[in-house]
Amino acid sequence: MRTVRCLFGLAVALLLTGSINVWGQLPSNELEGTWKMVSQELVYPDSVVDQSDDWGPSYKILNSTHFAWGRETKNGETVLAGGGRYEYYPERNVYIEHIQYHSDTGLDGVTLRFKARVEGDTWYHIGDIGSYKLREVWKRVDAKKVRAELRGDTTSARPETAGSSEQ
């Protein structure tokens, strides 16, 4: 009987610990997840340079405390990547990146501050970087669609209808 009580106690402890770990993984803000870049512009006082078509796909992944992003040139010859810690204050429309590593080592240790907002599955932000402002638009990646594509399930990975928010 003592063995049964010990096993029961162990099972309850595992269930509680497992539940706590699951709770710890719940999103703590609306930015958590995977994002695909839609557009990127360098805004100078006298001009705007649209870099949206200069690169291949760019993705940014955020958990509750850190971000990482990566992209490569369309020909695959150059890869850029970076990441670090971030802060997000939606009530003030502020997103701050504390870059801890970057393929351009001159950005290591730099903190960037952005005005930011999320509307549905679209994230907009703009912030000062030296002599220009960086303006980016990101779309949330639909995890269900990605899983369906990985399974080869074409019925649940149907192309979105006109006006869809997925890029």
Side-chain angles (χ1 to χ4, degrees), residues 4-101:
V4 172
R5 279 190 297 223
C6 287
L7 288 175
F8 179 74
L10 179 60
V12 169
L14 287 173
L15 283 173
L16 289 175
T17 302
S19 298
I20 290 169
N21 286 337
V22 169
W23 293 333
Q25 296 300 311
L26 292 175
S28 65
N29 68 65
E30 63 190 337
L31 292 183
E32 285 190 50
T34 303
W35 299 84
K36 183 176 182 180
M37 184 180 286
V38 174
S39 67
Q40 182 183 63
E41 297 173 328
L42 309 181
V43 182
Y44 293 92
D46 59 348
S47 64
V48 175
V49 177
D50 187 347
Q51 292 194 310
S52 303
D53 294 326
D54 293 350
W55 293 85
S58 179
Y59 291 91
K60 185 175 281 198
I61 302 168
L62 293 94
N63 66 21
S64 60
T65 59
H66 288 77
F67 73 95
W69 66 269
R71 71 190 319 184
E72 68 179 355
T73 53
K74 288 184 178 180
N75 63 12
E77 290 182 12
T78 304
V79 174
L80 294 178
R85 295 177 298 105
Y86 78 93
E87 300 172 64
Y88 179 52
Y89 304 98
E91 69 282 357
R92 293 186 285 159
N93 294 328
V94 173
Y95 170 74
I96 303 168
E97 289 185 346
H98 303 282
I99 300 172
Q100 294 175 285
Y101 64 92

Side-chain angles (χ1 to χ4, degrees), residues 142 144-160:
D142 182 339
K144 290 179 183 176
K145 184 176 178 181
V146 171
R147 282 193 289 275
E149 289 170 355
L150 288 172
R151 287 191 313 266
D153 180 356
T154 56
T155 58
S156 61
R158 269 180 272 181
E160 301 289 329

Side-chain angles (χ1 to χ4, degrees), residues 126-142:
I126 184 167
D128 291 319
I129 300 182
S131 63
Y132 62 91
K133 291 184 182 288
L134 178 65
R135 181 167 47 208
E136 295 178 332
V137 178
W138 298 82
K139 287 283 189 183
R140 185 178 299 280
V141 172
D142 182 339

